[in-house]
């Protein structure tokens, strides 16, 4: 693998992993369901200051949606917020890193699910038009999985942390840099359910548009399918670059859309296009195989195959089963673009 691409994948993979490392899983903690660290000390607490970013905002979502296994519930009646969960953060490259990159990079990291796969049962296997959930779309045929768009757009006016939806929180910050007079790029990352939010937010930012021509790139780890084939085609048309890193033994990237997906012959896909369960993956896929690593114990455990740290281990130099071609990275060091890397 190209060493520059490898370093970028690991950098943004560690940003996604930091969402797990910082999440408060203690049901007896006052901050259960929140972040364990203050925003200004976030990267320093996780030893990630070497990446050269500053966290500018935390992201929250209301738990009052149909994904109960994704959200946590405290055993205490009084806590920091009974209606919100911390789901990620926005970080901006500092001046030194921006000089190296040749632009100001806005990185968005979404939290996913690290230990459980029960959230898959929460996925209602039907699609809904994005323009029906406050996401403007120039193509009414663009549809996404209903639970993902609910998580991204729902809000609760009675809660301080989710008074604005996750979508509104992201948009308010990106618009802040829209007219700053400097070249910017937007890089979005996430694992599992977080990768679905990364793909959806990239589409939203690209579709609604910024005044500056900011390249948008998504590094997705173990992500499920998000939308239909029109969603994929619209992302391609908008120029959003998506690289999906998956383990061949992981079941999450295979759903939703078990019956009708991008692997079905195009003729059948065309006939089933109007069905509410016809999905398609987006971008370019990079396949890994944890069984090829001499440093990992053989296991058939589904959660282990989905583990983000195992993915990062495979990317970081072990012998892996890889397929990859024709991906453009807009955020590589020293302002270099990577074209048509063949492994």
């Amino acid at each position: 693998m190209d060493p520059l691409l490898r370093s970028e994948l690991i950098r943004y993979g560690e940003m996604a992993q930091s969402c797990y490392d910082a999440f408060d899983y203690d049901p007896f903690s006052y901050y259960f369901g929140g972040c364990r660290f203050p925003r200004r000390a976030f990267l320093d607490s996780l030893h990630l200051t070497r990446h050269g970013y500053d966290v500018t905002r935390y992201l929250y979502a209301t738990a009052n949606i149909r994904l109960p296994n994704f959200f946590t519930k405290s055993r205490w009646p009084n806590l920091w917020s009974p209606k919100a969960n911390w789901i990620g953060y926005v970080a901006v490259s500092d001046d030194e890193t921006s000089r190296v990159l040749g632009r100001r990079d806005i990185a968005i990291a979404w939290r996913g699910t690290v230990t459980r796969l029960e959230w898959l049962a929460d996925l209602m296997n039907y699609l809904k038009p994005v323009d029906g959930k406050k996401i403007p779309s120039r193509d009414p045929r663009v549809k996404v999985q209903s639970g993902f768009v609910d998580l991204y757009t729902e809000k609760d006016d009675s809660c301080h942390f989710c008074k604005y939806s996750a979508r509104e929180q992201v948009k308010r910050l990106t618009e802040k840099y829209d007219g700053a007079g400097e070249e910017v790029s937007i890089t979005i990352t996430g694992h599992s359910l977080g990768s679905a939010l990364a793909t959806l937010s990239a589409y939203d930012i690209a579709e609604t548009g910024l005044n500056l021509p900011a390249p948008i790139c998504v590094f997705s780890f173990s992500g499920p399918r998000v939308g239909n084939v029109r969603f994929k085609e619209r992302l391609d048309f908008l120029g959003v670059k998506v690289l999906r890193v998956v383990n061949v033994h992981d079941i999450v990237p295979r759903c939703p859309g078990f019956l009708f997906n991008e692997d079905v012959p195009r003729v059948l896909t065309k006939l089933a296009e109007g069905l509410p369960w016809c999905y398609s993956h987006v971008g370019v896929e990079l396949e890994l195989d944890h069984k090829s690593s001499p440093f990992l114990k053989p296991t058939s455990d589904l959660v282990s195959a989905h583990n983000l740290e195992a993915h990062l281990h495979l990317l970081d130099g072990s012998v892996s089963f890889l397929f990859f071609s024709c991906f453009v990275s807009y955020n590589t060091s020293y302002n270099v673009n990577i074209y048509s890397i063949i492994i």
Side-chain angles (χ1 to χ4, degrees):
M1 178 183 285
D2 183 273
L4 208 53
L5 175 62
R6 187 194 306 274
S7 67
E8 292 298 290
L9 283 169
I10 293 174
R11 178 204 299 185
Y12 292 107
E14 287 181 343
M15 286 186 175
Q17 178 63 39
S18 68
C19 292
Y20 295 132
D21 297 335
F23 190 71
D24 194 335
Y25 295 95
D26 184 0
F28 296 101
S29 170
Y30 175 78
Y31 294 102
F32 181 57
C35 183
R36 297 191 295 121
F37 308 114
R39 176 177 60 83
R40 296 185 184 278
F42 181 86
L43 295 177
D44 186 52
S45 301
L46 296 171
H47 308 288
L48 293 177
T49 53
R50 66 185 183 280
H51 290 323
Y53 284 73
D54 298 314
V55 176
T56 58
R57 187 181 184 90
Y58 280 168
L59 301 173
Y60 301 90
T62 175
N64 299 325
I65 63 171
R66 296 183 297 271
L67 285 173
N69 285 308
F70 174 69
F71 294 102
T72 59
K73 299 291 184 181
S74 175
R75 300 181 183 179
W76 292 96
N78 298 318
L79 70 163
W80 67 283
S81 175
K83 298 182 178 181
N85 262 207
W86 180 74
I87 59 168
Y89 63 91
V90 180
V92 179
S93 59
D94 57 28
D95 292 341
E96 181 180 353
T97 302
S98 297
R99 283 194 296 269
V100 173
L101 295 175
R103 60 183 65 84
R104 184 77 63 182
D105 185 43
I106 303 173
I108 305 171
W110 294 99
R111 178 175 69 86
T113 46
V114 64
T115 58
R116 304 187 306 172
L117 297 181
E118 289 91 338
W119 66 273
L120 290 174
D122 296 332
L123 294 182
M124 290 174 294
N125 202 32
Y126 68 84
L127 299 150
K128 64 169 58 174
V130 293
D131 57 359
K133 293 297 295 186
K134 305 174 184 177
I135 302 179
S137 175
R138 293 178 174 85
D139 186 348
R141 297 170 296 178
V142 173
K143 297 179 182 180
V144 296
Q145 201 279 331
S146 58
F148 300 155
V149 72
D150 286 344
L151 177 59
Y152 184 60
T153 59
E154 291 296 325
K155 59 183 177 180
D156 190 328
D157 293 333
S158 64
C159 176
H160 170 72
F161 293 95
C162 49
K163 183 177 181 180
Y164 297 100
S165 66
R167 175 183 187 265
E168 292 171 331
Q169 295 169 50
V170 170
K171 294 291 290 183
R172 284 159 63 92
L173 189 66
T174 53
E175 288 171 356
K176 174 183 176 182
Y177 291 90
D178 195 3
E182 60 180 337
E183 185 178 357
V184 300
S185 60
I186 300 175
T187 308
I188 313 176
T189 185
H191 169 255
S192 190
L193 182 56
S195 73
L197 292 173
T199 305
L200 182 57
S201 57
Y203 164 79
D204 183 24
I205 295 171
E207 184 71 276
T208 55
L210 296 174
N211 292 329
L212 293 177
I216 302 173
C217 177
V218 177
F219 290 104
S220 164
F221 296 86
S222 302
R225 296 184 180 95
V226 179
N228 63 357
V229 67
R230 295 294 180 180
F231 177 74
K232 173 191 180 301
E233 292 171 351
R234 189 63 186 169
L235 268 180
D236 294 340
F237 175 79
L238 293 171
V240 177
K241 302 299 179 182
V242 182
L243 176 57
R244 297 182 296 103
V245 182
V246 301
N247 185 343
V248 294
H249 304 286
D250 187 7
I251 65 170
V252 173
R254 305 175 195 171
C255 62
F258 287 105
L259 295 178
F260 296 101
N261 53 60
E262 69 284 348
D263 295 327
V264 174
R266 179 60 179 168
V267 175
L268 294 179
T269 304
K270 194 69 176 178
L271 293 174
E273 186 176 354
L275 298 177
W277 51 83
C278 185
Y279 285 79
S280 178
H281 266 310
V282 301
V284 176
E285 184 174 277
L286 170 59
E287 286 188 344
L288 308 175
D289 186 348
H290 71 268
K291 293 184 178 180
S292 68
S293 171
F295 306 103
L296 298 178
K297 293 181 179 179
T299 178
S300 58
D301 179 48
L302 296 178
V303 175
S304 297
H306 188 59
N307 186 277
L308 176 56
E309 289 183 299
H311 285 66
L312 297 180
H313 159 75
L314 292 170
L315 288 170
D316 193 18
S318 72
V319 179
S320 304
F321 188 55
L322 307 177
F323 294 102
F324 180 59
S325 66
C326 200
F327 178 75
V328 183
S329 173
Y330 283 103
N331 295 289
T332 51
S333 302
Y334 305 106
N335 207 20
V336 176
N337 290 337
I338 301 176
Y339 289 93
S340 302
I341 299 175
I342 308 296
I343 297 177

